Amino acid sequence: MKDETLQTLVPLTHAEEPVVRQAIEAKGWREKLDDDDRAVLALRNFIFDICNQNGGGHGGSAIGMAAIGVALYKHTMRFNPSDPEWFDRDRFVLSNGHAAMFLYALNHLVGYDAWTMDEIRGYGSPKADGYTTICHAHPEIEDPAIEVSTGPLGQGIANAVGLAIASKNMAARFNRPGFDVVRSRVYCMTGDGCLMEGVALEAISLAGNLGLDNLVLIYDNNQVTCDGPLDWINVEDVNAKMRACGWHVLEVADGSYDVQALVSALQHAKALTGKPVFVNVGTVIGLGASCAGTAKAHHGVFDAESVALSKRLAGQDPLTTHWIPPASLEYFRERKQHGQKLQSEWQAQLDRYQSAHPDLAKEFQRRRAGDNGQEWRKALETMDSAAFRHKATREVNGDVMETLWKTHPALFGGGADLVNSNKVPYQETDVFHPSVGFSGRFVRYGIREHAMAAVSNGVAAYSPGTFLPFTATFFMFYLYAAPGVRMGALSHLPVIHCATHDSFAEGQNGPTHQPVELDSLYRAMPNLTYMRPCDGEEVVGAWLLALSKTTGPSLLSLGRDPVGPVPNTDRFKVAKGAYVVADVENPRLTLASCGTNLHYAVAAAESLSAAGIATRVVSAPSLEHFDAQDGAYRESVFPLDGTPVVSVEEYVATTWARYATASIGMTGYGYSASNASNYARFRLDEKGIEARVREYLKQLNGGDARRAGWRAI
Amino acid sequence: MKDETLQTLVPLTHAEEPVVRQAIEAKGWREKLDDDDRAVLALRNFIFDICNQNGGGHGGSAIGMAAIGVALYKHTMRFNPSDPEWFDRDRFVLSNGHAAMFLYALNHLVGYDAWTMDEIRGYGSPKADGYTTICHAHPEIEDPAIEVSTGPLGQGIANAVGLAIASKNMAARFNRPGFDVVRSRVYCMTGDGCLMEGVALEAISLAGNLGLDNLVLIYDNNQVTCDGPLDWINVEDVNAKMRACGWHVLEVADGSYDVQALVSALQHAKALTGKPVFVNVGTVIGLGASCAGTAKAHHGVFDAESVALSKRLAGQDPLTTHWIPPASLEYFRERKQHGQKLQSEWQAQLDRYQSAHPDLAKEFQRRRAGDNGQEWRKALETMDSAAFRHKATREVNGDVMETLWKTHPALFGGGADLVNSNKVPYQETDVFHPSVGFSGRFVRYGIREHAMAAVSNGVAAYSPGTFLPFTATFFMFYLYAAPGVRMGALSHLPVIHCATHDSFAEGQNGPTHQPVELDSLYRAMPNLTYMRPCDGEEVVGAWLLALSKTTGPSLLSLGRDPVGPVPNTDRFKVAKGAYVVADVENPRLTLASCGTNLHYAVAAAESLSAAGIATRVVSAPSLEHFDAQDGAYRESVFPLDGTPVVSVEEYVATTWARYATASIGMTGYGYSASNASNYARFRLDEKGIEARVREYLKQLNGGDARRAGWRAI
């Protein structure tokens, strides 16, 4: 159809012809349209309709990227619309998630069942109570053919790096001469925004360092951001920067319409090895609309006149919306057969692989199914607590990990250049790095906390249960990583975060390294299980819970140094969230604490009890799990009989007010000094606790503690 | 002294000589020592002693950077040890703050009064209760001659960018032909770690974009990090990357000892214009110690043999610690006279300036003194609330800023590419950008939230009160910025953060953009004043408080859309933190809320009251200010008489449990849908609130609500 002229395609009236011709010229569109061109136009027109159907959205980028979409979905990526979960599919990440309709439109066009025209019509419309759609404003991982949830800029690039790491690792472990059972590549779209975000810059640097040549990052270079032209805020030489970060760089100048140039670049990218590939694609935001090339095209509706013109160009009726020219629909839908064929070929190869490498095939099958056995559970349940005595929780955490390396096949991860301090054990030979190959399970993330968390989400998102990523750094630096931890929780991705050096007892680095408020964030973060074990026994319990959770991340808050003993701790009671570790008859007071502060509460309770104030002690490693217990249990731990319940922790007390009648905590930042002196300084040691409790009891004067209202003491 | 040979300086025994010679050769040390060399040795030996005096610290980098320290403090920077607050001093930022003793040792050597040898001896020692020192593990801004607190890697670079912006702006506003009353330049040290952190990469990009040629970033390129050799985690071409980001790049290969090469580079940097300057300095971590060049040198003590050898090289007695050779001490202390001279010259120029430009001089004086008048206060106190009616709080926030641009001379800041959505008003002509000059007050930060916060801290740190920086983006993206906001709070730096689009009522972007837990972080963060006004009247009140606070940042949480009316709001009552907006006789229930949720609580209360459940309503824009009120007032707002107090907010309720007997809030993430449908979906509208309250009252069955314990309802 290459020789069809515009005239034969678009029945123009005499009056319209010069206008359309002018528009064609202005937009650099070629005189003769081929199938690719028509597909690009069809996609653009579809996106115009999606944006205009309910009064807006972020359509400009999606329109500018239409040719990229065609190059990827029609000519480059391996996927099967009939099986969005096909293990060896190429992964696509839309890091500029606000351009969501780009993805939705393509998912519809290539024929993913879930992405019906009805769903597409839902985009931008959920105003009515109870209305739902999978066509959210940003892509959400829960929906079919969406690899990761994106939206907060930059993180999608890090997710893509994680997906590429996962694929690389699976390939290294399971491919054998003649058998490429894992070939999945990762394609990630980015706009100008993502490339300014620190998390993306960290991830880009990491990907270059790891030489992830199965990763292609496609830059929708439209030189426009929300507020105005890009050069207001960024004038970098982005190609030089990417090269400096260890990437191959390709460029496509006319990326708004030149599909075959894009296809050539993407094919060439497959041949490039040793480094990830950056494809810098010049595009025009909102191409075809009157606001094209300006910040106005970033979001909002498009003018009817431009949309009509664009539809005429494609031979469409300007008054009909959500209509795909049959030839173009067929052009896209052919991918269904193609995808079936790809998957069948892969399956056939897998059958041969099974004969040639039966053991490996079995292991591969288990990994794909996310079947990680129960050996890890037995190992943890039977770990001898005598070995933990006098060890810091970060050290026991290391012991647990040592055990898990041997018993949990999916464990995969690393730390942000503090693994010696984090006490994360690993074998030099088990490192994931080009110098030793990609079959290793330990990733050196470098000093890139935010990327570490977001990359881990990508690893977890590769396929459910195939990987159990973990991360490690100081607790304080999980504030850098917080946006990534949050996206993991929101996306239901199981990642285990090992946060050592919690509280001001972190070895006198000082207030910059001492969290006092970070627990409040993580305790409030939905679907993030925050646990603060007080000793080795509870560390094991926390890991049992973290490993059992398949629907979201956990964060283990761990202490740097050994602390005093806490009686009656129990790995199996961690699941209760809070439980009594020291009981007394006719208690007049309950002290509750966790982590490195609990042993002081135990000591204070003993002293108070000895002085006639019968005091019981509660260990509360996980308030989330505690909230899930029934009312009777909760009342048995934190009585509602009017006796005081005092929480003790080296943090600003927020969540504690749910349970306690008074809280002993921090009101300001920490101090650069030894642990012991800080507990004394902030009156959180045995002596401080006892004195503050006594003062509180004096204030209460025998009155009902709950009636008196919560107070910080 | 250039011709003095090593032999004459160091009285070596016959046996020792070959050992020392070998050491010299191995370290590339030159045969003949000059004054600079001796100063470098003296500094290194001093740092050895500081590390070894109390068993550790992060000495390796400090030792490797000794020659850089000499080049900067002796030969390059303009400062006056007798007046650490001299306005026109060059600013020095140690972004790799763990190398703190580098700064402390130099502060002592050049003669800052506060940095006595006794204080230096305090480094690493505060183990005893009550012991204090200014020699913290990381530099803290409260101490003399420390420009910013550093430690969390990467942020120091962003602080330096902020200081450079501040200096550039002051120079543009106040320098006139023949009068360079502002010449201060900014020198920032970075290690490998900072250069991997996203916040630094954002700030570097921003500095390049802004062409900050008064900024010099010196890279202590020792190729070693905590965990091992740098190439384990980073193999970038850092020079190419910096050039791509718009920086000049200079290199000094032998930066561990070649002081004059460093001086040449730093002098050359002064001559380079239009771009910031990156000086890549090759160094050896822990030079002179047996662990030199390895990760072991990163922290911990140094071996006695190496230290002894190093002292011999300097002609020092190996057994004497904390002793500076008199010639070297004199060499450094000469800076006191030099600094006095610099400041006197500046003062003399200022006197002439006063005659030549009396009005400008007066303004300059006020800005230096941080005297920003009271016009802004009058303007805000008298703003007509009629104009606010039916406006979203983000819009009123824009109105307030419009007023402040005219009345508050120190206001300076901008947003992260969402200022149109944030409704931050600014004049195109008032932009801080090389294309229009540097006298503008509006900074386009680009899509770099973390850097925006950390850069703002640098602007605020320039000189107390000279700038009042503000930032703006969506509330959710303040999670990206959180580590910067925290450092501002910790460092007592007044910055005003305008966080719009709070809660799930942010315009259907979906859960990725909808904070549900972020309030918990900011409400717990010490010295960060978090305020969530419910209407325009309270927005004005929040600004009055934010502008009155000179010892830390404030964060204003603002709504995207107009909401229903709340009666009796009062800008002056915001300072109370919480106050009654709707009272009733014999109340049976109190509803408390804030922000965009409050009007629903008001409506629900009216409905409940009409149905015979007399309900009062509390507006609680700032729980921090409320906590500062006396007990009687607090009880007058949240009664302790056993009647229920129910909080209502579109967030996970944590802090609310301090005051309420029950909370209506979120337990999961938001949803991509319209505001109205989300309030209905999550039962946080009038109907949902009333139904949940009724169910709660049924559960209580007339019982004492406080005795029943807090619950989520």
Side-chain angles (χ1 to χ4, degrees), chain B residues 23 56 107 143 285 563 653:
Chain B
N107 278 350
D143 299 326
I285 193 168
V563 293

Side-chain angles (χ1 to χ4, degrees), chain B residues 650-674:
Chain B
E650 318 91 327
Y651 295 128
V652 175
T654 54
T655 320
W656 278 114
R658 292 176 173 180
Y659 321 100
T661 61
S663 294
I664 295 174
M666 295 290 284
T667 54
Y669 292 100
Y671 191 77
S672 172
S674 68

Side-chain angles (χ1 to χ4, degrees), chain A residues 344-550:
Chain A
S344 300
E345 285 166 4
W346 177 78
Q347 188 59 53
Q349 191 197 163
L350 209 57
D351 295 342
R352 295 194 303 278
Y353 181 72
Q354 207 135 12
S355 311
H357 303 283
D359 289 349
L360 213 52
K362 200 182 275 176
E363 195 191 332
F364 186 44
Q365 204 284 328
R366 278 198 300 262
R367 290 294 298 279
R368 278 182 288 137
D371 170 11
N372 297 303
Q374 294 292 320
E375 197 188 338
W376 59 267
R377 185 184 301 277
K378 271 176 242 149
L380 293 194
E381 285 180 355
T382 57
M383 271 181 92
D384 182 7
S385 64
F388 310 150
R389 217 154 288 153
H390 313 306
K391 275 192 175 179
T393 48
R394 68 167 167 160
E395 290 176 281
V396 180
N397 191 66
D399 295 345
V400 168
M401 295 196 73
E402 193 79 62
T403 301
L404 290 174
W405 282 130
K406 295 174 201 140
T407 55
H408 198 297
L411 194 72
F412 184 95
D417 196 52
L418 287 169
V419 293
N420 296 327
S421 299
N422 302 137
K423 301 284 182 200
V424 172
Y426 72 96
Q427 302 284 327
E428 286 284 341
T429 50
D430 200 24
V431 170
F432 179 92
H433 193 266
S435 62
V436 291
F438 294 107
S439 62
R441 295 177 297 168
F442 182 82
V443 182
R444 295 190 180 111
Y445 283 107
I447 302 156
R448 307 176 178 106
E449 295 84 4
H450 190 175
M452 174 169 70
V455 167
S456 299
N457 292 339
V459 174
Y462 186 68
S463 191
T466 300
F467 289 92
L468 179 73
F470 74 89
T471 72
T473 188
F474 288 3
F475 185 34
M476 193 64 249
F477 304 147
Y478 278 98
L479 186 55
Y480 278 46
V485 176
R486 179 184 206 262
M487 283 302 295
L490 195 155
S491 306
H492 299 99
L493 295 168
V495 176
I496 299 178
H497 302 290
C498 302
T500 69
H501 296 66
D502 64 0
S503 89
F504 58 57
E506 51 71 61
Q508 65 191 58
N509 279 302
T512 58
H513 287 52
Q514 296 169 350
V516 295
E517 76 285 49
L518 195 49
D519 68 300
S520 291
L521 173 68
Y522 284 123
R523 280 171 166 148
M525 189 176 278
N527 201 32
L528 183 271
T529 302
Y530 170 94
M531 291 180 278
R532 192 171 183 216
C534 74
D535 64 5
E537 181 68 19
E538 288 194 349
V539 169
V540 176
W543 270 97
L544 280 166
L545 289 172
L547 291 166
S548 304
K549 184 180 178 188
T550 57

